[in-house]
Amino acid sequence: MAIRPVDLFTVVPSPEEERFDTLLSGKGPWRLERIVSAGQSSPRSFWYDQDEDEWVTLLSGRATLLFADDDGSTESVDLLPGQALLIPAHRRHRVTSTSAEPPCLWLALHGKST
Amino acid sequence: MAIRPVDLFTVVPSPEEERFDTLLSGKGPWRLERIVSAGQSSPRSFWYDQDEDEWVTLLSGRATLLFADDDGSTESVDLLPGQALLIPAHRRHRVTSTSAEPPCLWLALHGKST
């Protein structure tokens, strides 16, 4: 059976909406996702609050995430290509900004880490 | 708790041996690994024969993998940065070559996909 590489960058970014593609998933459960952003950000009143940990790696572009602590304080984190971070389950966060040129290509691994 | 990005590229490649770092793991089991190669290749008589699927993404460098079929035929696959491929469990393979300049930075996700 032929082995065919996939080029993660051959995806057309949309200025309208972010694109999410599941690349692989398994029991656990865990799920590897490609995300392509091009200028999008989370709504201002919105927080992601996820049941699982998320390991996110930025492959291209520039992005800024905002994290909230339970005491109401927030922390802004800039990401450059090649940088990765672990977002623990239920750590509230939102995407403050993503670059459109170049678009942001992310790899996100969702799962409960041990 | 402060969120600190990790720069996946701030690792010193070694001409002596490949470097393997587990970034994250969980039940399933699954395991996300960073691999840094700099000119290494698998021994000629060696085949990886893994119990789990492996999704491998090349982030920098150039690499060539060789895959074996049960009928004895082989297939060579070149990888460029941003390319990824799924190596099914028990698909025998070896690394034919990895570039030293720039070194090869890989993300490998090991697990049984569904």
Side-chain angles (χ1 to χ4, degrees):
Chain A
M1 190 178 63
I3 299 274
R4 295 273 168 268
V6 172
D7 193 326
L8 297 175
F9 287 88
T10 56
V11 60
V12 180
S14 163
E16 277 79 41
E17 54 185 2
E18 290 183 294
R19 175 170 169 168
F20 300 87
D21 295 292
T22 294
L23 300 173
L24 204 69
S25 61
K27 288 179 183 167
W30 55 265
R31 182 167 56 90
L32 181 66
E33 188 179 45
R34 176 181 61 182
I35 307 170
V36 180
S37 321
Q40 290 87 6
S41 60
S42 309
R44 284 190 69 82
S45 59
F46 175 89
W47 292 103
Y48 285 104
D49 184 348
Q50 302 174 151
D51 289 335
E52 295 180 328
D53 304 319
E54 178 177 358
W55 173 264
V56 63
T57 306
L58 189 65
L59 298 190
S60 77
R62 285 162 181 267
T64 304
L65 303 179
L66 190 70
F67 293 89
D69 258 335
D70 289 338
D71 64 5
S73 65
T74 58
E75 180 184 4
S76 182
V77 176
D78 296 322
L79 279 182
L80 294 171
Q83 290 189 323
L85 53 78
L86 176 65
I87 306 173
H90 295 298
R91 181 71 188 258
R92 289 181 302 145
H93 62 283
R94 76 161 72 115
V95 181
T96 315
S97 70
T98 60
S99 62
E101 281 297 333
C104 289
L105 183 74
W106 313 76
L107 282 180
L109 177 59
H110 303 266
K112 190 73 188 166
S113 65
T114 52
Chain B
M1 190 177 65
I3 300 275
R4 295 270 168 270
V6 172
D7 193 327
L8 296 175
F9 286 88
T10 55
V11 60
V12 180
S14 163
E16 277 80 40
E17 55 184 2
E18 290 183 293
R19 176 171 169 168
F20 300 86
D21 295 291
T22 294
L23 300 173
L24 205 68
S25 61
K27 287 179 183 167
W30 55 267
R31 182 167 55 89
L32 180 66
E33 187 179 46
R34 175 181 62 183
I35 306 171
V36 181
S37 321
Q40 289 88 6
S41 59
S42 308
R44 286 190 68 83
S45 58
F46 174 90
W47 293 103
Y48 285 102
D49 185 348
Q50 303 173 151
D51 289 335
E52 297 179 328
D53 303 320
E54 178 178 357
W55 173 264
V56 65
T57 306
L58 191 64
L59 298 190
S60 77
R62 285 163 180 267
T64 304
L65 302 180
L66 190 71
F67 294 88
D69 259 334
D70 288 339
D71 64 6
S73 65
T74 59
E75 180 184 4
S76 183
V77 176
D78 296 322
L79 279 182
L80 295 172
Q83 288 189 326
L85 53 77
L86 177 65
I87 306 173
H90 296 297
R91 181 72 188 257
R92 289 180 302 144
H93 62 283
R94 75 160 73 115
V95 181
T96 315
S97 70
T98 60
S99 61
E101 282 295 334
C104 289
L105 184 72
W106 313 76
L107 282 180
L109 178 59
H110 304 267
K112 191 71 187 167
S113 65
T114 52

